[in-house]
Amino acid sequence: DAGVIQSPRHEVTEMGQEVTLRCKPISGHNSLFWYRQTMMRGLELLIYFNNNVPIDDSGMPEDRFSAKMPNASFSTLKIQPSEPRDSAVYFCASSLDTLYNEQFFGPGTRLTVL
Amino acid sequence: GENVEQHPSTLSVQEGDSAVIKCTYSDSASNYFPWYKQELGKRPQLIIDIRSNVGEKKDQRIAVTLNKTAKHFSLHITETQPEDSAVYFCAASLGSARQLTFGSGTQLTVLP
């Protein structure tokens, strides 16, 4: 298995532009998580899906952020409009829907908003 | 919700010495405590975990201890090597839930 796949790996955009980050979870995993990592705030959970359904989006910072999971093998995190404070590394992780599950992280997308 | 505090934020040790990282959690119902290692520019990866029905778990040079009464757990690395240099994150969750709440991370540097 290729593991969790994220694209793009790096994204540089200008303030006000729309940004879409993509994630393909490990095949067979039915839980998917989006995290944001910054020096100031550490590793923050943004949203969690189970069987393609958003379960907890309390970590989504504001309405500019939205996430979808149209099927078991694909998820997107969209920021519209982007702001410089959104600059961070965004990780997608997936796991089996079992107790005491290991979360497998993707390589991350480094987002820079100018 | 759950709150996890992690100390210290940075730790430097001489190669061959031991390193200890400590975490406390707030929700007494939490019952799963994994530790992740993140090397520079890489993704976090699970290195060891412990469930609340166990007090200690070892895997070669790393071990984790859990004190449910005090609501704290610790990572112990013995005979440290330069490749142990990384950021280590503790986390906690309810086993019935899927979300992890992460600590703020500890930058471990092993000096040759």
Side-chain angles (χ1 to χ4, degrees), chain B residues 13-33:
Chain B
V13 299
Q14 290 295 136
E15 183 176 357
D17 287 351
S18 295
V20 180
I21 302 170
K22 299 180 179 181
C23 290
T24 61
Y25 60 98
S26 60
D27 191 337
S28 58
S30 289
N31 57 6
Y32 175 60
F33 308 93

mmCIF file of all heavy atoms in Angstrom, chain B residues 13-33:
data_model
loop_
_atom_site.group_PDB
_atom_site.id
_atom_site.type_symbol
_atom_site.label_atom_id
_atom_site.label_comp_id
_atom_site.label_asym_id
_atom_site.label_seq_id
_atom_site.Cartn_x
_atom_site.Cartn_y
_atom_site.Cartn_z
ATOM 1 N N VAL B 13 20.052 15.772 25.455
ATOM 2 C CA VAL B 13 20.744 14.749 26.245
ATOM 3 C C VAL B 13 21.988 14.316 25.491
ATOM 4 O O VAL B 13 22.083 14.466 24.263
ATOM 5 C CB VAL B 13 19.839 13.523 26.520
ATOM 6 C CG1 VAL B 13 18.612 13.934 27.322
ATOM 7 C CG2 VAL B 13 19.448 12.817 25.230
ATOM 8 N N GLN B 14 22.938 13.779 26.231
ATOM 9 C CA GLN B 14 24.128 13.216 25.623
ATOM 10 C C GLN B 14 23.813 11.815 25.092
ATOM 11 O O GLN B 14 23.024 11.069 25.704
ATOM 12 C CB GLN B 14 25.264 13.127 26.636
ATOM 13 C CG GLN B 14 25.856 14.482 27.043
ATOM 14 C CD GLN B 14 26.551 15.191 25.881
ATOM 15 O OE1 GLN B 14 26.378 16.382 25.687
ATOM 16 N NE2 GLN B 14 27.339 14.440 25.124
ATOM 17 N N GLU B 15 24.424 11.475 23.992
ATOM 18 C CA GLU B 15 24.243 10.140 23.431
ATOM 19 C C GLU B 15 24.538 9.082 24.489
ATOM 20 O O GLU B 15 25.545 9.172 25.208
ATOM 21 C CB GLU B 15 25.178 9.956 22.232
ATOM 22 C CG GLU B 15 25.037 8.636 21.530
ATOM 23 C CD GLU B 15 25.924 8.540 20.295
ATOM 24 O OE1 GLU B 15 26.608 9.535 19.969
ATOM 25 O OE2 GLU B 15 25.943 7.472 19.665
ATOM 26 N N GLY B 16 23.631 8.121 24.587
ATOM 27 C CA GLY B 16 23.780 7.073 25.575
ATOM 28 C C GLY B 16 23.008 7.317 26.858
ATOM 29 O O GLY B 16 22.736 6.372 27.612
ATOM 30 N N ASP B 17 22.650 8.574 27.106
ATOM 31 C CA ASP B 17 21.847 8.883 28.290
ATOM 32 C C ASP B 17 20.382 8.571 28.032
ATOM 33 O O ASP B 17 19.979 8.263 26.908
ATOM 34 C CB ASP B 17 22.007 10.353 28.672
ATOM 35 C CG ASP B 17 23.366 10.636 29.290
ATOM 36 O OD1 ASP B 17 24.105 9.668 29.583
ATOM 37 O OD2 ASP B 17 23.686 11.833 29.470
ATOM 38 N N SER B 18 19.583 8.664 29.094
ATOM 39 C CA SER B 18 18.142 8.438 28.970
ATOM 40 C C SER B 18 17.402 9.761 28.811
ATOM 41 O O SER B 18 17.890 10.813 29.232
ATOM 42 C CB SER B 18 17.619 7.714 30.212
ATOM 43 O OG SER B 18 18.179 6.422 30.307
ATOM 44 N N ALA B 19 16.233 9.698 28.206
ATOM 45 C CA ALA B 19 15.369 10.865 28.037
ATOM 46 C C ALA B 19 13.976 10.504 28.536
ATOM 47 O O ALA B 19 13.489 9.392 28.293
ATOM 48 C CB ALA B 19 15.305 11.290 26.576
ATOM 49 N N VAL B 20 13.353 11.450 29.231
ATOM 50 C CA VAL B 20 12.004 11.240 29.746
ATOM 51 C C VAL B 20 11.133 12.428 29.352
ATOM 52 O O VAL B 20 11.513 13.578 29.573
ATOM 53 C CB VAL B 20 11.986 11.084 31.273
ATOM 54 C CG1 VAL B 20 10.553 10.871 31.765
ATOM 55 C CG2 VAL B 20 12.879 9.929 31.704
ATOM 56 N N ILE B 21 9.987 12.150 28.788
ATOM 57 C CA ILE B 21 9.014 13.178 28.397
ATOM 58 C C ILE B 21 7.702 12.851 29.115
ATOM 59 O O ILE B 21 7.271 11.700 29.136
ATOM 60 C CB ILE B 21 8.796 13.188 26.874
ATOM 61 C CG1 ILE B 21 10.128 13.435 26.152
ATOM 62 C CG2 ILE B 21 7.776 14.263 26.488
ATOM 63 C CD1 ILE B 21 10.047 13.227 24.643
ATOM 64 N N LYS B 22 7.091 13.894 29.690
ATOM 65 C CA LYS B 22 5.914 13.674 30.516
ATOM 66 C C LYS B 22 4.684 14.391 29.961
ATOM 67 O O LYS B 22 4.801 15.504 29.428
ATOM 68 C CB LYS B 22 6.186 14.154 31.941
ATOM 69 C CG LYS B 22 7.335 13.420 32.620
ATOM 70 C CD LYS B 22 7.571 13.911 34.031
ATOM 71 C CE LYS B 22 8.701 13.129 34.681
ATOM 72 N NZ LYS B 22 8.941 13.563 36.083
ATOM 73 N N CYS B 23 3.541 13.753 30.133
ATOM 74 C CA CYS B 23 2.271 14.339 29.693
ATOM 75 C C CYS B 23 1.213 14.138 30.761
ATOM 76 O O CYS B 23 1.214 13.112 31.464
ATOM 77 C CB CYS B 23 1.803 13.720 28.387
ATOM 78 S SG CYS B 23 2.811 14.165 26.977
ATOM 79 N N THR B 24 0.319 15.114 30.869
ATOM 80 C CA THR B 24 -0.846 14.980 31.730
ATOM 81 C C THR B 24 -2.095 15.178 30.880
ATOM 82 O O THR B 24 -2.064 15.868 29.863
ATOM 83 C CB THR B 24 -0.836 16.007 32.877
ATOM 84 O OG1 THR B 24 -0.850 17.333 32.309
ATOM 85 C CG2 THR B 24 0.385 15.842 33.751
ATOM 86 N N TYR B 25 -3.173 14.538 31.293
ATOM 87 C CA TYR B 25 -4.422 14.675 30.569
ATOM 88 C C TYR B 25 -5.532 15.038 31.539
ATOM 89 O O TYR B 25 -5.403 14.851 32.752
ATOM 90 C CB TYR B 25 -4.756 13.396 29.787
ATOM 91 C CG TYR B 25 -4.910 12.143 30.618
ATOM 92 C CD1 TYR B 25 -6.169 11.677 31.004
ATOM 93 C CD2 TYR B 25 -3.793 11.400 31.005
ATOM 94 C CE1 TYR B 25 -6.311 10.519 31.750
ATOM 95 C CE2 TYR B 25 -3.923 10.236 31.755
ATOM 96 C CZ TYR B 25 -5.183 9.801 32.118
ATOM 97 O OH TYR B 25 -5.314 8.655 32.865
ATOM 98 N N SER B 26 -6.624 15.566 31.017
ATOM 99 C CA SER B 26 -7.661 16.102 31.895
ATOM 100 C C SER B 26 -8.879 15.195 32.032
ATOM 101 O O SER B 26 -9.533 15.201 33.079
ATOM 102 C CB SER B 26 -8.114 17.477 31.380
ATOM 103 O OG SER B 26 -8.644 17.362 30.058
ATOM 104 N N ASP B 27 -9.197 14.425 30.989
ATOM 105 C CA ASP B 27 -10.417 13.627 31.002
ATOM 106 C C ASP B 27 -10.129 12.233 31.568
ATOM 107 O O ASP B 27 -9.431 11.442 30.927
ATOM 108 C CB ASP B 27 -10.973 13.524 29.581
ATOM 109 C CG ASP B 27 -12.380 12.948 29.535
ATOM 110 O OD1 ASP B 27 -12.766 12.224 30.496
ATOM 111 O OD2 ASP B 27 -13.097 13.200 28.563
ATOM 112 N N SER B 28 -10.646 11.958 32.722
ATOM 113 C CA SER B 28 -10.375 10.674 33.375
ATOM 114 C C SER B 28 -10.938 9.493 32.589
ATOM 115 O O SER B 28 -10.583 8.349 32.849
ATOM 116 C CB SER B 28 -10.959 10.674 34.795
ATOM 117 O OG SER B 28 -12.353 10.932 34.751
ATOM 118 N N ALA B 29 -11.822 9.766 31.624
ATOM 119 C CA ALA B 29 -12.381 8.696 30.796
ATOM 120 C C ALA B 29 -11.457 8.308 29.647
ATOM 121 O O ALA B 29 -11.684 7.287 28.989
ATOM 122 C CB ALA B 29 -13.736 9.119 30.250
ATOM 123 N N SER B 30 -10.412 9.079 29.394
ATOM 124 C CA SER B 30 -9.475 8.728 28.320
ATOM 125 C C SER B 30 -8.818 7.402 28.634
ATOM 126 O O SER B 30 -8.467 7.110 29.788
ATOM 127 C CB SER B 30 -8.415 9.821 28.155
ATOM 128 O OG SER B 30 -8.983 10.976 27.601
ATOM 129 N N ASN B 31 -8.660 6.573 27.617
ATOM 130 C CA ASN B 31 -8.141 5.227 27.868
ATOM 131 C C ASN B 31 -7.146 4.742 26.817
ATOM 132 O O ASN B 31 -6.792 3.572 26.781
ATOM 133 C CB ASN B 31 -9.300 4.226 27.993
ATOM 134 C CG ASN B 31 -10.177 4.234 26.764
ATOM 135 O OD1 ASN B 31 -9.878 4.887 25.778
ATOM 136 N ND2 ASN B 31 -11.284 3.503 26.827
ATOM 137 N N TYR B 32 -6.697 5.651 25.962
ATOM 138 C CA TYR B 32 -5.725 5.255 24.939
ATOM 139 C C TYR B 32 -4.724 6.384 24.790
ATOM 140 O O TYR B 32 -5.108 7.555 24.606
ATOM 141 C CB TYR B 32 -6.443 4.985 23.615
ATOM 142 C CG TYR B 32 -5.514 4.673 22.457
ATOM 143 C CD1 TYR B 32 -4.656 3.578 22.507
ATOM 144 C CD2 TYR B 32 -5.506 5.467 21.329
ATOM 145 C CE1 TYR B 32 -3.804 3.294 21.456
ATOM 146 C CE2 TYR B 32 -4.653 5.187 20.275
ATOM 147 C CZ TYR B 32 -3.806 4.097 20.339
ATOM 148 O OH TYR B 32 -2.967 3.814 19.295
ATOM 149 N N PHE B 33 -3.416 6.036 24.867
ATOM 150 C CA PHE B 33 -2.370 7.050 24.923
ATOM 151 C C PHE B 33 -1.219 6.676 23.988
ATOM 152 O O PHE B 33 -0.296 5.957 24.361
ATOM 153 C CB PHE B 33 -1.864 7.194 26.371
ATOM 154 C CG PHE B 33 -2.976 7.411 27.355
ATOM 155 C CD1 PHE B 33 -3.568 6.336 28.014
ATOM 156 C CD2 PHE B 33 -3.455 8.685 27.606
ATOM 157 C CE1 PHE B 33 -4.607 6.526 28.909
ATOM 158 C CE2 PHE B 33 -4.499 8.892 28.500
ATOM 159 C CZ PHE B 33 -5.078 7.812 29.143
#
